[in-house]
Every structure is written in structure tokens, then in C-alpha cells.
Amino acid sequence: AQKVTQAQTEISVVEKEDVTLDCVYETRDTTYYLFWYKQPPSGELVFLIRRNSFDEQNEISGRYSWNFQKSTSSFNFTITASQVVDSAVYFCALSENRDDKIIFGKGTRLHILP
Amino acid sequence: DTEVTQTPKHLVMGMTNKKSLKCEQHMGHRAMYWYKQKAKKPPELMFVYSYEKLSINESVPSRFSPECPNSSLLNLHLHALQPEDSALYLCASSQDTLRNYGYTFGSGTRLTVV
């Protein structure tokens, strides 16, 4: 069975600090896909990144970076020099190749304090 | 057009009412989804339509009835709902159900059942 664990329920940091959101997943498939989504107070889920299980390269996009480690089944997300606009709920999600479901973790609520 | 549009944004309905939620996309995506999100919880999959056919029903009660009239449009018909059905209903689309592209989500319909 597939499972996504985001152990951090809520995090508060002061603006300009770096922050890392943890994500640990479980799956029996060798082919799977990992995602991060951002949900601001407006409610819309914003797609941030998709990573397949065969691509362990870390990725950087501006202030965002992702560290994918199959050995520890983790797909962590780091925001560098955080800004107030980064305040949102962030969901890590997993999809196995066999079906079209995306299973979400419980989310991490991130507060960036001015 | 890279959006998924959901209407209405807010809906209040009585337990005896019949109402419909609408979702539209013009990105040529062939898979469309309904998710339900309760407050402070992750989204939960309800239905998946692939090429206008229902492919996944996550044991959703029959008071929720999905419909996909064409590849751009997805409806969710509501009848005899309960107060516990109050939630944010999110629609999403993706290019193809088998390739696990990231979803594009709409901003949701916030439903209150009174």
C-alpha cells in the first residue's frame, strides 16, 4: 500500500530563514511519481514539482529545492530565504504507476513571520 | 488557457436540495478528477474520468453523482447531502491517466450543507 508521511504538522520561521519540509513515502512499486503542491489560503492547489522514481537528481528552482533520496524514501523540500508569500499548506504526494491516484500526505502548514 | 475553472466558488444548500458543481478545462486534458477536502485535511480522491468514461469511484455515496458530458467539462450532481458533506470540492485535470503528469487543480467550490 502506498503512504505519504509529513511528520511536521506546522512550522513557523522568520522571514529570510531557510526552511525544510520533510516527506517520507512508502510504496511497493519500482515505478512511481512524487509531487509537491502548495495550497495558499485561497484554496487552489498549486503544482510545484513532479519527480519519477528513476530520476534521483536534486532540483533547484529559484528559492525552491528538492532532495530526493530513494535510500531513505524521502523527498524533502527546502525554501531558501523564505518570504511571507510562502505561507501556505504544502502537500507531498505519491502516485504509483499502476493507477491514476495521487495520495496526499497530511500536509505541513508553513507560517513565514515578517 | 492553462486553467481549470470551477463554478460556483461558494454554495450553501439544504439537505433536500439538488445542486450541481461544474468544472471546465480547455487544455486538451483527457483525464478529470473530483477531490473532496475537509478543513485541515488533505484532498481525498472521489472520482476519475478517463476519456469521458468513469474509471475510478472511490466508494463515494450515491448522493454524489458525477457526469462528464465531454472532454472539457465535468459535473458533480449533489442530492440529499448531509452536513458532514460540507467541504472544499476540488476538480483537477491531467494530460493522460497513465502517465502521471502533474494535476492542474481548480480553485474549488466551498460547499456548506445546512
Side-chain angles (χ1 to χ4, degrees):
Chain A
Q2 51 180 325
K3 185 179 175 182
V4 177
T5 302
Q6 293 180 257
Q8 303 150 308
T9 305
E10 203 159 343
I11 300 175
S12 294
V13 300
V14 177
E15 197 174 18
K16 298 184 184 177
E17 287 185 356
D18 299 346
V19 58
T20 295
L21 308 182
D22 298 332
C23 174
V24 174
Y25 62 92
E26 292 178 30
T27 177
R28 294 179 184 173
D29 275 12
T30 55
T31 302
Y32 52 89
Y33 304 85
L34 296 164
F35 305 83
W36 275 95
Y37 283 88
K38 173 183 180 180
Q39 189 173 39
S42 58
E44 181 178 355
L45 279 160
V46 178
F47 169 77
L48 297 177
I49 191 171
R50 168 186 174 270
R51 172 69 70 218
N52 73 54
S53 53
F54 299 110
D55 182 2
E56 286 194 73
Q57 275 196 331
N58 292 328
E59 181 155 339
I60 297 174
S61 175
R63 296 184 297 106
Y64 295 171
S65 62
W66 290 269
N67 182 1
F68 176 30
Q69 291 197 336
K70 286 179 76 170
S71 59
T72 55
S73 297
S74 65
F75 187 42
N76 296 337
F77 172 34
T78 298
I79 301 175
T80 303
S82 59
Q83 300 176 0
V84 173
V85 294
D86 296 326
S87 297
V89 180
Y90 290 85
F91 290 100
C92 181
L94 165 70
S95 179
E96 295 173 335
N97 199 42
R98 69 182 75 188
D99 59 30
D100 195 46
K101 296 182 192 181
I102 288 186
I103 302 299
F104 289 85
K106 293 188 175 181
T108 297
R109 187 173 297 272
L110 179 63
H111 301 278
I112 308 298
L113 308 173
Chain B
D1 188 352
T2 57
E3 287 187 347
V4 173
T5 303
Q6 289 188 245
T7 55
K9 292 197 181 306
H10 299 274
L11 178 62
V12 179
M13 61 184 289
M15 289 187 285
T16 58
N17 291 161
K18 284 185 182 180
K19 296 286 185 183
S20 296
L21 310 185
K22 179 180 173 182
C23 173
E24 200 163 1
Q25 57 87 15
H26 297 287
M27 296 176 280
H29 288 177
R30 303 313 302 266
M32 296 185 76
Y33 312 79
W34 281 114
Y35 276 81
K36 174 181 176 179
Q37 187 179 21
K38 302 281 281 183
K40 298 193 176 183
K41 298 288 187 182
E44 293 180 347
L45 182 66
M46 299 175 73
F47 302 104
V48 178
Y49 271 85
S50 172
Y51 292 84
E52 299 156 51
K53 293 193 187 311
L54 182 65
S55 60
I56 296 178
N57 176 342
E58 290 288 280
S59 303
V60 179
S62 59
R63 58 185 183 270
F64 295 91
S65 175
E67 179 196 18
C68 189
N70 58 59
S71 60
S72 299
L73 190 56
L74 184 66
N75 298 320
L76 185 63
H77 303 297
L78 314 172
H79 172 55
L81 295 193
Q82 303 297 311
E84 58 264 29
D85 297 320
S86 298
L88 180 67
Y89 288 84
L90 292 159
C91 174
S93 69
S94 66
Q95 285 185 334
D96 188 297
T97 56
L98 299 179
R99 297 179 184 176
N100 286 292
Y101 291 96
Y103 291 177
T104 300
F105 279 90
S107 55
T109 294
R110 205 165 288 278
L111 174 67
T112 303
V113 181
V114 297

